[in-house]
Amino acid sequence: MAMKTACMSSQASDDEQRKRENIRSLTMSGHVGFESLPDQLVNRSIQQGFFFNILCVGETGIGKSTLIDTLFNTNFQDHESSHFYPHVRLKAQTYELQESNVRLKLTVVSTVGFGDQINKEESYQPIVDYIDAQFEAYLQEELKIKRSLFNYHDSRIHVNIIPVIAKADAISKTELQKFKIKLMSELVSNGIQIYQFPTDDDTIAKINAAMNGHLPFAVVGSMDEVKVGNKMVKARQYPWGVVQVENENHCDFVKLREMLICTNMEDLREQTHTRHYELYRRCKLEEMGFTDMGPESKPL
């Protein structure tokens, strides 16, 4: 009875929505062809390629470059940074990658000199300024009379706050679990909102909900290959043994790659545009004096 009521309620709300929009539902008597729209979108997206921009924040030498290399299974040949920069600066490098017939224009932004100063209180400011500057550049392109957004190099940062414990093989599993709990507790107590893997899509809700419980990811990165048994695997070789990067019993690297690239890359891109950028855009337009409603509540 409850299920029937719920279905009737849902149908009633759909009918009310149609009445408000003055939409009539019709039945076609034959094939037309707009069912191919998803295929058209896929083909156009493949032709245009995709942008994906990662901001990797961490102290010099923590393993940022190695992690990015391992994530995308390539050698970006980033030069080692000095520990003696007086200020934090951001360095962006763009690469073109291709997997099968999909082209990805990947921009990796690293924080040079982060954590090297005695007074670290203002270390975050250049990072915030950089993120805002990319939003501002996109907004200025939107506000032009003659826009070129279809071929605009979107430099907005897509990877929101995803906490990662680097060099996770440096501590024991018991210590690591305690550290994870402490880190999440400090994030909550300081009001820091991290990216939550979305659970509104039934196809990925279960895996994403489970992975939200594994945050922060404890990772190990390496492009070195070591022979384990009869196969070569990415690993770190130590006198006491081998840490396998893609072995989930050894670290969370596979979980991070699965969540970041295979499952939620498009959601990260969408969240950046529809949530973070929209908030920035709204605030900036209000500062400029723009409003949606004019005198006598008439739309502008």
Side-chain angles (χ1 to χ4, degrees):
M1 185 65 181
M3 185 180 293
K4 187 175 180 181
T5 304
C7 291
M8 290 175 65
S9 175
S10 176
Q11 185 176 359
S13 63
D14 290 342
D15 291 341
E16 289 173 6
Q17 181 71 17
R18 291 194 189 95
K19 286 177 183 177
R20 284 197 298 269
E21 296 177 353
N22 197 24
I23 297 175
R24 295 170 59 198
S25 291
L26 300 176
T27 303
M28 299 181 301
S29 57
H31 179 263
V32 176
F34 59 75
E35 66 182 10
S36 68
L37 259 176
D39 296 328
Q40 295 175 38
L41 288 171
V42 168
N43 292 335
R44 176 172 291 185
S45 296
I46 289 174
Q47 288 175 6
Q48 291 177 342
F50 299 88
F51 288 100
F52 193 57
N53 308 318
I54 296 178
L55 170 59
C56 198
V57 181
E59 292 186 7
T60 306
I62 198 69
K64 301 187 296 295
S65 299
T66 303
L67 175 60
I68 297 296
D69 285 354
T70 316
L71 275 173
F72 290 93
N73 200 22
T74 190
N75 187 355
F76 292 108
Q77 297 180 332
D78 197 10
H79 300 291
E80 288 188 14
S81 296
S82 167
H83 282 274
F84 302 102
Y85 288 104
H87 306 289
V88 178
R89 64 183 182 88
L90 277 75
K91 182 177 72 173
Q93 184 68 50
T94 301
Y95 310 90
E96 285 195 356
L97 306 176
Q98 182 157 342
E99 187 174 48
S100 186
N101 63 338
V102 177
R103 289 180 296 108
L104 181 69
K105 193 165 284 187
L106 174 71
T107 298
V108 179
V109 184
S110 58
T111 52
V112 180
F114 185 84
D116 290 339
Q117 296 75 37
I118 295 175
N119 185 351
K120 301 178 177 62
E121 287 186 0
E122 300 299 320
S123 294
Y124 75 93
Q125 195 58 52
I127 298 169
V128 174
D129 292 343
Y130 181 89
I131 294 171
D132 284 348
Q134 310 321 305
F135 281 161
E136 182 64 26
Y138 193 90
L139 177 61
Q140 291 303 321
E141 185 63 34
E142 270 195 331
L143 292 175
K144 289 181 180 177
I145 295 174
K146 189 177 180 180
R147 300 181 297 178
S148 300
L149 289 173
F150 68 95
N151 63 355
Y152 177 77
H153 185 154
D154 187 359
S155 59
R156 296 173 297 176
I157 297 300
H158 296 124
V159 181
N160 308 306
I161 301 176
I162 300 176
V164 173
I165 299 171
K167 298 184 177 181
D169 53 339
I171 55 177
S172 69
K173 282 192 173 183
T174 305
E175 292 171 325
L176 181 60
Q177 197 56 38
K178 290 178 180 177
F179 185 46
K180 280 190 173 190
I181 295 169
K182 181 182 179 182
L183 185 56
M184 292 303 290
S185 174
E186 289 192 3
L187 288 170
V188 172
S189 62
N190 286 280
I192 298 173
Q193 296 182 10
I194 64 173
Y195 174 69
Q196 291 288 309
F197 303 119
T199 56
D200 51 352
D201 184 344
D202 291 341
T203 59
I204 57 174
K206 189 174 180 180
I207 181 69
N208 276 354
M211 290 302 165
N212 281 329
H214 283 286
L215 289 170
F217 292 131
V219 300
V220 176
S222 176
M223 290 297 289
D224 298 334
E225 294 205 338
V226 176
K227 190 170 184 179
V228 176
N230 59 353
K231 63 178 182 178
M232 302 298 290
V233 297
K234 285 187 174 62
R236 299 190 78 90
Q237 178 82 60
Y238 295 102
W240 44 263
V242 175
V243 176
Q244 298 176 42
V245 171
E246 296 176 319
N247 186 332
E248 294 195 57
N249 292 321
H250 291 189
C251 71
D252 296 331
F253 173 79
V254 171
K255 294 182 177 69
L256 175 63
R257 185 175 61 192
E258 177 72 24
M259 291 296 96
L260 186 65
I261 299 173
C262 304
T263 306
N264 298 299
M265 181 182 276
E266 180 53 30
D267 183 73
L268 283 161
R269 285 159 35 92
E270 185 181 342
Q271 286 282 333
T272 296
H273 182 74
T274 61
R275 183 180 175 189
H276 303 295
Y277 171 70
E278 279 300 314
L279 177 60
Y280 178 87
R281 176 180 175 275
R282 186 179 72 195
C283 293
K284 294 297 287 187
L285 291 180
E286 286 175 351
E287 286 177 12
M288 294 177 190
F290 288 96
T291 59
D292 289 331
M293 305 300 290
E296 301 177 5
S297 298
K298 291 182 178 179
L300 296 175

